[in-house]
Amino acid sequence: MKDDAYSLELLPATLKRLTFTAANAIEENLQYLILLFPYFSGKIRASPIGSYGYLELTETGCAGDGFDIESAIRINKIKITVSGADLSALTFQGAGWSTESSAPGSLALAYTSNEFMPPVKIQEILNGLRFAASADLDSEIVLQVSNTEEGDFAPVGPVRMAFRGGATWALVEGKALTWGDVEAAAMDWNAFENMKK
């Protein structure tokens, strides 16, 4: 009687590149095995996005300013989710980005690649995603990447992103204006409110 178990391949097709005779077999095999499995590591770079803690309505917010991509293996999808009380004034622009879902307080954007993306490529794609607003707006953005066959990684964030049509106290404090400066410039309350970066 023949036992079919003895005719099975010893290694699955994905492991046939393993070597047991090369001088650096252990290191080469370990590197090969590590690269078989998806992995991601990223962190918040800056929150909020924008100098003085906000963006003027004439500025755009870059998603890449909020995140640092440290490591990525077998990642082929990037998702940015924007949440806020009212996102009706928010617009976005970025090559390859599309709207995955949209609701009054949430906007999910996705970028999917036919190839796995290294960390530098993911950062480049995030740097190409820009947000603008036509009115005051408070929001948070969260980054999540995935391998479309094996699932999502834990999200990174949130990162604050606020747009303002006028000055904020952070801007006034950041410019370190004294009463002497205010008087010399003959600034009134309206001038304060409309002060720009």
Side-chain angles (χ1 to χ4, degrees), residues 82-140:
V82 187
S83 58
D86 181 5
L87 302 179
S88 59
L90 185 72
T91 58
F92 76 91
Q93 184 176 357
W97 287 92
S98 61
T99 302
E100 189 172 80
S101 65
S102 180
S106 178
L107 173 66
L109 306 174
Y111 183 103
T112 305
S113 173
N114 293 327
E115 301 175 345
F116 296 129
M117 299 174 282
V120 172
K121 183 64 175 177
I122 294 174
Q123 191 73 59
E124 179 185 312
I125 292 165
L126 288 172
N127 290 343
L129 176 60
R130 297 196 163 266
F131 296 94
S134 56
D136 286 9
L137 184 147
D138 289 295
S139 66
E140 292 183 336

Short mmCIF file of all heavy atoms in Angstrom, two decimals, residues 82-140:
data_model
loop_
_atom_site.label_atom_id
_atom_site.label_comp_id
_atom_site.label_asym_id
_atom_site.label_seq_id
_atom_site.Cartn_x
_atom_site.Cartn_y
_atom_site.Cartn_z
N VAL A 82 -10.66 61.37 7.70
CA VAL A 82 -10.81 62.70 8.29
C VAL A 82 -12.13 62.73 9.04
O VAL A 82 -13.16 62.32 8.50
CB VAL A 82 -10.82 63.80 7.21
CG1 VAL A 82 -10.80 65.18 7.85
CG2 VAL A 82 -9.65 63.64 6.24
N SER A 83 -12.11 63.20 10.27
CA SER A 83 -13.35 63.29 11.04
C SER A 83 -13.48 64.68 11.65
O SER A 83 -12.48 65.32 11.97
CB SER A 83 -13.41 62.22 12.14
OG SER A 83 -12.29 62.35 12.99
N GLY A 84 -14.70 65.14 11.77
CA GLY A 84 -14.97 66.46 12.34
C GLY A 84 -16.47 66.70 12.36
O GLY A 84 -17.24 65.98 11.72
N ALA A 85 -16.88 67.71 13.12
CA ALA A 85 -18.31 67.99 13.26
C ALA A 85 -18.95 68.35 11.92
O ALA A 85 -20.06 67.92 11.62
CB ALA A 85 -18.52 69.12 14.27
N ASP A 86 -18.25 69.13 11.11
CA ASP A 86 -18.80 69.56 9.82
C ASP A 86 -17.65 69.66 8.82
O ASP A 86 -16.79 70.54 8.94
CB ASP A 86 -19.50 70.92 9.96
CG ASP A 86 -20.11 71.40 8.65
OD1 ASP A 86 -20.08 70.63 7.66
OD2 ASP A 86 -20.62 72.53 8.62
N LEU A 87 -17.63 68.77 7.86
CA LEU A 87 -16.56 68.75 6.86
C LEU A 87 -17.01 69.28 5.50
O LEU A 87 -16.33 69.08 4.50
CB LEU A 87 -16.03 67.31 6.69
CG LEU A 87 -15.48 66.63 7.95
CD1 LEU A 87 -15.04 65.21 7.62
CD2 LEU A 87 -14.34 67.43 8.55
N SER A 88 -18.14 69.96 5.47
CA SER A 88 -18.69 70.42 4.19
C SER A 88 -17.79 71.41 3.48
O SER A 88 -17.84 71.55 2.26
CB SER A 88 -20.08 71.03 4.40
OG SER A 88 -20.01 72.13 5.30
N ALA A 89 -16.94 72.14 4.22
CA ALA A 89 -16.05 73.13 3.60
C ALA A 89 -14.71 72.52 3.18
O ALA A 89 -13.88 73.21 2.59
CB ALA A 89 -15.80 74.28 4.58
N LEU A 90 -14.51 71.23 3.44
CA LEU A 90 -13.22 70.59 3.17
C LEU A 90 -13.15 70.00 1.77
O LEU A 90 -14.10 69.37 1.30
CB LEU A 90 -12.99 69.47 4.20
CG LEU A 90 -11.62 68.77 4.15
CD1 LEU A 90 -10.54 69.72 4.68
CD2 LEU A 90 -11.66 67.48 4.96
N THR A 91 -12.03 70.20 1.11
CA THR A 91 -11.77 69.56 -0.19
C THR A 91 -10.40 68.90 -0.13
O THR A 91 -9.57 69.24 0.73
CB THR A 91 -11.80 70.58 -1.35
OG1 THR A 91 -10.82 71.60 -1.10
CG2 THR A 91 -13.18 71.21 -1.48
N PHE A 92 -10.15 67.96 -1.03
CA PHE A 92 -8.85 67.32 -1.07
C PHE A 92 -8.38 67.18 -2.52
O PHE A 92 -9.16 67.19 -3.45
CB PHE A 92 -8.90 65.94 -0.39
CG PHE A 92 -9.55 64.86 -1.22
CD1 PHE A 92 -8.80 64.05 -2.07
CD2 PHE A 92 -10.92 64.66 -1.17
CE1 PHE A 92 -9.39 63.06 -2.83
CE2 PHE A 92 -11.53 63.67 -1.92
CZ PHE A 92 -10.77 62.86 -2.77
N GLN A 93 -7.07 67.02 -2.66
CA GLN A 93 -6.47 66.83 -3.99
C GLN A 93 -5.25 65.93 -3.81
O GLN A 93 -4.45 66.12 -2.90
CB GLN A 93 -6.06 68.17 -4.58
CG GLN A 93 -5.50 68.08 -5.98
CD GLN A 93 -5.19 69.46 -6.55
OE1 GLN A 93 -5.44 70.48 -5.93
NE2 GLN A 93 -4.65 69.49 -7.76
N GLY A 94 -5.13 64.94 -4.70
CA GLY A 94 -3.98 64.05 -4.64
C GLY A 94 -4.07 62.99 -5.72
O GLY A 94 -5.10 62.32 -5.84
N ALA A 95 -3.02 62.82 -6.49
CA ALA A 95 -3.01 61.84 -7.57
C ALA A 95 -3.18 60.43 -7.01
O ALA A 95 -2.47 60.02 -6.10
CB ALA A 95 -1.71 61.93 -8.35
N GLY A 96 -4.15 59.71 -7.55
CA GLY A 96 -4.38 58.32 -7.16
C GLY A 96 -5.28 58.14 -5.96
O GLY A 96 -5.68 57.01 -5.64
N TRP A 97 -5.64 59.21 -5.27
CA TRP A 97 -6.52 59.13 -4.10
C TRP A 97 -7.98 59.16 -4.54
O TRP A 97 -8.34 59.92 -5.44
CB TRP A 97 -6.25 60.28 -3.14
CG TRP A 97 -4.97 60.14 -2.39
CD1 TRP A 97 -3.75 60.64 -2.76
CD2 TRP A 97 -4.77 59.46 -1.16
NE1 TRP A 97 -2.81 60.31 -1.82
CE2 TRP A 97 -3.40 59.58 -0.83
CE3 TRP A 97 -5.61 58.75 -0.30
CZ2 TRP A 97 -2.86 59.03 0.34
CZ3 TRP A 97 -5.08 58.21 0.86
CH2 TRP A 97 -3.72 58.34 1.17
N SER A 98 -8.81 58.36 -3.88
CA SER A 98 -10.24 58.35 -4.19
C SER A 98 -11.03 58.29 -2.90
O SER A 98 -10.52 57.87 -1.85
CB SER A 98 -10.60 57.15 -5.08
OG SER A 98 -10.28 55.94 -4.42
N THR A 99 -12.28 58.70 -2.98
CA THR A 99 -13.16 58.67 -1.81
C THR A 99 -13.68 57.26 -1.61
O THR A 99 -14.34 56.70 -2.47
CB THR A 99 -14.34 59.65 -2.01
OG1 THR A 99 -13.83 60.96 -2.22
CG2 THR A 99 -15.25 59.64 -0.79
N GLU A 100 -13.38 56.70 -0.44
CA GLU A 100 -13.86 55.36 -0.10
C GLU A 100 -15.23 55.42 0.55
O GLU A 100 -16.09 54.60 0.29
CB GLU A 100 -12.85 54.67 0.81
CG GLU A 100 -13.13 53.20 1.05
CD GLU A 100 -12.01 52.51 1.79
OE1 GLU A 100 -11.95 52.64 3.03
OE2 GLU A 100 -11.19 51.84 1.13
N SER A 101 -15.43 56.42 1.41
CA SER A 101 -16.74 56.65 2.02
C SER A 101 -16.82 58.10 2.47
O SER A 101 -15.81 58.74 2.75
CB SER A 101 -16.96 55.71 3.21
OG SER A 101 -16.05 55.99 4.24
N SER A 102 -18.05 58.60 2.51
CA SER A 102 -18.26 60.00 2.90
C SER A 102 -19.56 60.12 3.68
O SER A 102 -20.59 59.58 3.27
CB SER A 102 -18.31 60.89 1.65
OG SER A 102 -18.51 62.23 2.00
N ALA A 103 -19.48 60.80 4.81
CA ALA A 103 -20.65 61.06 5.66
C ALA A 103 -20.49 62.47 6.21
O ALA A 103 -19.43 63.07 6.08
CB ALA A 103 -20.72 60.02 6.78
N PRO A 104 -21.54 63.03 6.82
CA PRO A 104 -21.44 64.41 7.31
C PRO A 104 -20.24 64.68 8.21
O PRO A 104 -19.64 65.74 8.15
CB PRO A 104 -22.76 64.59 8.08
CG PRO A 104 -23.71 63.68 7.37
CD PRO A 104 -22.91 62.49 6.96
N GLY A 105 -19.85 63.74 9.05
CA GLY A 105 -18.73 63.98 9.96
C GLY A 105 -17.51 63.13 9.69
O GLY A 105 -16.60 63.06 10.52
N SER A 106 -17.46 62.48 8.52
CA SER A 106 -16.34 61.59 8.24
C SER A 106 -16.08 61.49 6.74
O SER A 106 -17.01 61.44 5.94
CB SER A 106 -16.62 60.20 8.81
OG SER A 106 -15.58 59.31 8.50
N LEU A 107 -14.80 61.45 6.39
CA LEU A 107 -14.40 61.29 5.00
C LEU A 107 -13.23 60.32 4.96
O LEU A 107 -12.19 60.56 5.58
CB LEU A 107 -13.97 62.64 4.40
CG LEU A 107 -13.37 62.61 2.99
CD1 LEU A 107 -14.41 62.18 1.96
CD2 LEU A 107 -12.79 63.98 2.63
N ALA A 108 -13.41 59.19 4.27
CA ALA A 108 -12.34 58.19 4.15
C ALA A 108 -11.79 58.20 2.73
O ALA A 108 -12.55 58.03 1.77
CB ALA A 108 -12.86 56.81 4.52
N LEU A 109 -10.49 58.39 2.62
CA LEU A 109 -9.81 58.44 1.32
C LEU A 109 -8.86 57.25 1.22
O LEU A 109 -8.21 56.88 2.20
CB LEU A 109 -9.03 59.74 1.17
CG LEU A 109 -9.82 61.02 1.41
CD1 LEU A 109 -8.89 62.22 1.39
CD2 LEU A 109 -10.91 61.17 0.36
N ALA A 110 -8.77 56.67 0.03
CA ALA A 110 -7.92 55.48 -0.14
C ALA A 110 -7.01 55.62 -1.35
O ALA A 110 -7.37 56.22 -2.36
CB ALA A 110 -8.79 54.25 -0.28
N TYR A 111 -5.83 55.04 -1.21
CA TYR A 111 -4.86 54.93 -2.30
C TYR A 111 -4.45 53.46 -2.36
O TYR A 111 -3.92 52.92 -1.39
CB TYR A 111 -3.64 55.81 -2.04
CG TYR A 111 -2.63 55.80 -3.17
CD1 TYR A 111 -2.56 56.86 -4.06
CD2 TYR A 111 -1.75 54.73 -3.35
CE1 TYR A 111 -1.63 56.86 -5.11
CE2 TYR A 111 -0.84 54.72 -4.39
CZ TYR A 111 -0.77 55.78 -5.26
OH TYR A 111 0.13 55.78 -6.29
N THR A 112 -4.72 52.81 -3.48
CA THR A 112 -4.38 51.40 -3.64
C THR A 112 -3.38 51.25 -4.78
O THR A 112 -3.53 51.84 -5.84
CB THR A 112 -5.65 50.56 -3.93
OG1 THR A 112 -6.60 50.79 -2.88
CG2 THR A 112 -5.32 49.08 -3.97
N SER A 113 -2.37 50.43 -4.54
CA SER A 113 -1.31 50.22 -5.53
C SER A 113 -1.32 48.77 -6.00
O SER A 113 -1.68 47.86 -5.25
CB SER A 113 0.05 50.55 -4.91
OG SER A 113 1.10 50.21 -5.80
N ASN A 114 -0.90 48.56 -7.25
CA ASN A 114 -0.75 47.20 -7.78
C ASN A 114 0.53 46.54 -7.29
O ASN A 114 0.72 45.35 -7.48
CB ASN A 114 -0.75 47.23 -9.32
CG ASN A 114 -2.09 47.64 -9.88
OD1 ASN A 114 -3.14 47.35 -9.29
ND2 ASN A 114 -2.08 48.35 -10.99
N GLU A 115 1.40 47.34 -6.68
CA GLU A 115 2.67 46.83 -6.17
C GLU A 115 2.78 47.18 -4.69
O GLU A 115 2.15 48.12 -4.20
CB GLU A 115 3.85 47.46 -6.92
CG GLU A 115 3.83 47.20 -8.42
CD GLU A 115 4.96 47.95 -9.13
OE1 GLU A 115 5.54 48.86 -8.52
OE2 GLU A 115 5.24 47.60 -10.29
N PHE A 116 3.61 46.42 -3.98
CA PHE A 116 3.87 46.75 -2.58
C PHE A 116 4.71 48.02 -2.52
O PHE A 116 5.60 48.23 -3.33
CB PHE A 116 4.58 45.59 -1.88
CG PHE A 116 3.74 44.34 -1.81
CD1 PHE A 116 4.25 43.13 -2.23
CD2 PHE A 116 2.45 44.39 -1.32
CE1 PHE A 116 3.49 41.98 -2.16
CE2 PHE A 116 1.67 43.25 -1.25
CZ PHE A 116 2.19 42.03 -1.67
N MET A 117 4.39 48.86 -1.54
CA MET A 117 5.02 50.18 -1.44
C MET A 117 6.02 50.23 -0.29
O MET A 117 5.65 49.93 0.85
CB MET A 117 3.95 51.25 -1.24
CG MET A 117 2.94 51.35 -2.38
SD MET A 117 1.59 52.51 -2.04
CE MET A 117 0.56 51.52 -0.93
N PRO A 118 7.26 50.63 -0.56
CA PRO A 118 8.24 50.79 0.53
C PRO A 118 7.92 52.06 1.32
O PRO A 118 7.11 52.89 0.90
CB PRO A 118 9.57 50.92 -0.22
CG PRO A 118 9.19 51.46 -1.57
CD PRO A 118 7.84 50.90 -1.88
N PRO A 119 8.56 52.23 2.47
CA PRO A 119 8.28 53.40 3.31
C PRO A 119 8.40 54.74 2.59
O PRO A 119 7.57 55.62 2.75
CB PRO A 119 9.32 53.29 4.44
CG PRO A 119 9.64 51.84 4.51
CD PRO A 119 9.53 51.32 3.10
N VAL A 120 9.44 54.88 1.77
CA VAL A 120 9.66 56.15 1.06
C VAL A 120 8.50 56.44 0.11
O VAL A 120 8.05 57.60 -0.01
CB VAL A 120 10.99 56.11 0.27
CG1 VAL A 120 11.14 57.33 -0.62
CG2 VAL A 120 12.17 56.01 1.22
N LYS A 121 7.97 55.42 -0.54
CA LYS A 121 6.85 55.61 -1.46
C LYS A 121 5.58 55.99 -0.71
O LYS A 121 4.83 56.86 -1.15
CB LYS A 121 6.63 54.32 -2.27
CG LYS A 121 5.53 54.42 -3.31
CD LYS A 121 5.87 55.43 -4.39
CE LYS A 121 4.82 55.45 -5.50
NZ LYS A 121 5.11 56.47 -6.52
N ILE A 122 5.34 55.33 0.42
CA ILE A 122 4.15 55.67 1.22
C ILE A 122 4.23 57.12 1.68
O ILE A 122 3.24 57.87 1.60
CB ILE A 122 4.01 54.71 2.42
CG1 ILE A 122 3.74 53.29 1.93
CG2 ILE A 122 2.89 55.17 3.36
CD1 ILE A 122 3.73 52.24 3.01
N GLN A 123 5.42 57.54 2.14
CA GLN A 123 5.59 58.93 2.57
C GLN A 123 5.36 59.89 1.41
O GLN A 123 4.70 60.93 1.56
CB GLN A 123 6.99 59.13 3.15
CG GLN A 123 7.17 60.46 3.86
CD GLN A 123 6.47 60.51 5.20
OE1 GLN A 123 6.75 59.71 6.08
NE2 GLN A 123 5.56 61.46 5.37
N GLU A 124 5.85 59.54 0.25
CA GLU A 124 5.67 60.37 -0.95
C GLU A 124 4.20 60.51 -1.30
O GLU A 124 3.73 61.61 -1.65
CB GLU A 124 6.44 59.73 -2.10
CG GLU A 124 6.34 60.45 -3.42
CD GLU A 124 7.04 59.68 -4.54
OE1 GLU A 124 8.18 59.24 -4.34
OE2 GLU A 124 6.41 59.50 -5.60
N ILE A 125 3.46 59.43 -1.21
CA ILE A 125 2.03 59.45 -1.53
C ILE A 125 1.26 60.30 -0.51
O ILE A 125 0.37 61.07 -0.87
CB ILE A 125 1.48 58.02 -1.62
CG1 ILE A 125 2.09 57.31 -2.84
CG2 ILE A 125 -0.04 58.02 -1.70
CD1 ILE A 125 1.91 55.82 -2.83
N LEU A 126 1.63 60.17 0.76
CA LEU A 126 1.00 61.00 1.79
C LEU A 126 1.33 62.48 1.57
O LEU A 126 0.48 63.35 1.76
CB LEU A 126 1.46 60.56 3.18
CG LEU A 126 0.91 59.24 3.69
CD1 LEU A 126 1.61 58.85 5.00
CD2 LEU A 126 -0.59 59.30 3.89
N ASN A 127 2.56 62.75 1.15
CA ASN A 127 2.95 64.15 0.89
C ASN A 127 2.17 64.74 -0.28
O ASN A 127 2.03 65.96 -0.39
CB ASN A 127 4.45 64.23 0.59
CG ASN A 127 5.30 63.96 1.82
OD1 ASN A 127 4.82 64.01 2.94
ND2 ASN A 127 6.57 63.66 1.61
N GLY A 128 1.66 63.89 -1.16
CA GLY A 128 0.90 64.36 -2.31
C GLY A 128 -0.58 64.58 -2.03
O GLY A 128 -1.31 65.08 -2.89
N LEU A 129 -1.03 64.21 -0.83
CA LEU A 129 -2.44 64.40 -0.47
C LEU A 129 -2.59 65.71 0.30
O LEU A 129 -2.03 65.87 1.39
CB LEU A 129 -2.93 63.23 0.40
CG LEU A 129 -4.36 63.34 0.93
CD1 LEU A 129 -5.38 63.45 -0.21
CD2 LEU A 129 -4.68 62.15 1.83
N ARG A 130 -3.35 66.63 -0.28
CA ARG A 130 -3.48 67.96 0.33
C ARG A 130 -4.95 68.32 0.54
O ARG A 130 -5.81 68.00 -0.27
CB ARG A 130 -2.80 69.02 -0.54
CG ARG A 130 -1.30 68.79 -0.65
CD ARG A 130 -0.55 69.99 -1.17
NE ARG A 130 0.87 69.86 -0.89
CZ ARG A 130 1.48 70.34 0.18
NH1 ARG A 130 0.78 71.00 1.09
NH2 ARG A 130 2.77 70.18 0.36
N PHE A 131 -5.17 68.99 1.67
CA PHE A 131 -6.51 69.41 2.05
C PHE A 131 -6.61 70.93 2.04
O PHE A 131 -5.65 71.62 2.36
CB PHE A 131 -6.85 68.90 3.46
CG PHE A 131 -6.91 67.41 3.56
CD1 PHE A 131 -5.80 66.69 3.97
CD2 PHE A 131 -8.07 66.72 3.24
CE1 PHE A 131 -5.84 65.31 4.07
CE2 PHE A 131 -8.13 65.34 3.33
CZ PHE A 131 -7.01 64.63 3.76
N ALA A 132 -7.79 71.43 1.70
CA ALA A 132 -8.07 72.86 1.75
C ALA A 132 -9.47 73.04 2.32
O ALA A 132 -10.29 72.12 2.31
CB ALA A 132 -7.98 73.48 0.36
N ALA A 133 -9.73 74.23 2.83
CA ALA A 133 -11.06 74.53 3.39
C ALA A 133 -11.48 75.94 3.00
O ALA A 133 -10.64 76.84 2.88
CB ALA A 133 -11.04 74.37 4.91
N SER A 134 -12.76 76.10 2.80
CA SER A 134 -13.29 77.42 2.42
C SER A 134 -13.90 78.16 3.61
O SER A 134 -14.39 79.27 3.47
CB SER A 134 -14.36 77.24 1.33
OG SER A 134 -15.38 76.37 1.77
N ALA A 135 -13.87 77.54 4.78
CA ALA A 135 -14.41 78.16 6.00
C ALA A 135 -13.71 77.53 7.20
O ALA A 135 -13.03 76.52 7.08
CB ALA A 135 -15.92 77.95 6.10
N ASP A 136 -13.88 78.16 8.37
CA ASP A 136 -13.28 77.61 9.59
C ASP A 136 -13.70 76.16 9.76
O ASP A 136 -14.87 75.80 9.56
CB ASP A 136 -13.73 78.41 10.81
CG ASP A 136 -13.05 79.78 10.89
OD1 ASP A 136 -12.37 80.15 9.91
OD2 ASP A 136 -13.22 80.46 11.91
N LEU A 137 -12.74 75.34 10.17
CA LEU A 137 -13.00 73.90 10.24
C LEU A 137 -12.05 73.25 11.22
O LEU A 137 -10.85 73.56 11.24
CB LEU A 137 -12.82 73.31 8.84
CG LEU A 137 -13.12 71.83 8.60
CD1 LEU A 137 -13.66 71.63 7.20
CD2 LEU A 137 -11.87 70.98 8.78
N ASP A 138 -12.57 72.37 12.07
CA ASP A 138 -11.76 71.58 12.99
C ASP A 138 -11.89 70.12 12.61
O ASP A 138 -13.01 69.62 12.45
CB ASP A 138 -12.22 71.78 14.43
CG ASP A 138 -11.87 73.16 14.96
OD1 ASP A 138 -10.68 73.44 15.09
OD2 ASP A 138 -12.80 73.94 15.23
N SER A 139 -10.75 69.44 12.48
CA SER A 139 -10.81 68.03 12.09
C SER A 139 -9.63 67.27 12.66
O SER A 139 -8.67 67.86 13.18
CB SER A 139 -10.84 67.90 10.56
OG SER A 139 -9.62 68.35 10.01
N GLU A 140 -9.72 65.97 12.55
CA GLU A 140 -8.61 65.08 12.91
C GLU A 140 -8.42 64.09 11.77
O GLU A 140 -9.40 63.69 11.13
CB GLU A 140 -8.92 64.32 14.19
CG GLU A 140 -8.96 65.19 15.43
CD GLU A 140 -9.20 64.38 16.69
OE1 GLU A 140 -9.78 63.27 16.58
OE2 GLU A 140 -8.80 64.85 17.77
#
